[in-house]
Amino acid sequence: MMLDRLGEEKARATTIVRYAPESYFPSHSHPGGEEIFVLCGTFSEGDEHYPAGWYLRNPPGSSHQPSSQEGTVIFVKLWQMEPDDSSRVRIDTRDPANWHVHNGREICPLFTNATEQVSLQSLRPKEALLQAPVESAELLVLNGWVVASGQLYPCGSWLRLPAGEYPDLVAGPLGATVYLKTGRMSVEA
C-alpha cells in the first residue's frame, strides 16, 4: 500500500508491504537508505530474522536480500536518509530494556540525529502526542487510536504533518502506541 511517493523509479516512498509466506526479493541495494518497522509476521535478511516489533535501519548504499518464511507486513521508508548517514540500526521494541520514561511518557527511542528523531511512544488515555511545535511530524498508529480535530485515526492510520501544522492530536480513551518521526523530512531522491 503506497502511503506517499515523490519521484519515479528511485523515489522517496513510504509504504506498507505484505510478503506472502515463503516469498523473497532478489538481492538489491538501497542508495538512499531504507527504514523498516515489522508490523506482523517475521521479516528476514539472509540468516537474520526479525519478528513483529523490530525496527531496522539500513543506511544509504546498503544492500540485502529480504524474505519471509511465514509471511510478514512491514512499514517501509525509502530514500529518506541523509547521504552521509552510515547508521545500521536493529532494535527489538518488545524488549522492555529499550523503553524509557521521559516526562511521564513511555518512549522507545529508535534513531536520532541532527535532522530527525524516530521513536515509539506509548500515550496514556487522552494524552496529547506533541508537547511542543515540531518542524514536521509523521506517525503510524500501532495500537489504540488517536483523535485530531474530532477525527478518529484507528490502529493502522498514517499521518504526515507539514511544518506549521499541529492539530490537537490526542490518544483515544484507552491510550495509543504510535511510531513517531519528527524533524526535517525533505530529503530528495
Side-chain angles (χ1 to χ4, degrees), residues 1-6 11-15 76-77 80 138 158 160:
M1 175 187 307
M2 185 63 62
L3 300 172
D4 184 52
R5 184 178 181 98
L6 296 174
R12 170 190 159 149
T14 301
T15 59
V76 182
K77 301 176 68 55
Q80 297 183 39
E138 172 182 3
W158 176 80
R160 178 175 286 155

Side-chain angles (χ1 to χ4, degrees), residues 117-158:
Q117 299 76 46
V118 185
S119 64
L120 296 189
Q121 303 210 3
S122 180
L123 307 174
R124 294 181 304 271
K126 300 184 181 180
E127 181 181 10
L129 174 62
L130 301 172
Q131 305 297 320
V134 293
E135 189 171 344
S136 60
E138 172 182 3
L139 66 124
L140 177 66
V141 181
L142 300 173
N143 190 350
W145 67 83
V146 297
V147 181
S149 304
Q151 175 73 40
L152 296 177
Y153 295 95
C155 180
S157 297
W158 176 80

Side-chain angles (χ1 to χ4, degrees), residues 4 6-7 11-14 32 35 77-83 113-117 135-138 160-163 181-189:
D4 184 52
L6 296 174
R12 170 190 159 149
T14 301
E35 190 175 2
K77 301 176 68 55
L78 299 172
W79 282 96
Q80 297 183 39
M81 296 177 186
E82 297 295 328
N113 67 13
T115 59
E116 67 178 300
Q117 299 76 46
E135 189 171 344
S136 60
E138 172 182 3
R160 178 175 286 155
L161 307 173
K181 183 173 191 172
T182 59
R184 186 172 59 82
M185 295 180 209
S186 60
V187 176
E188 297 294 325

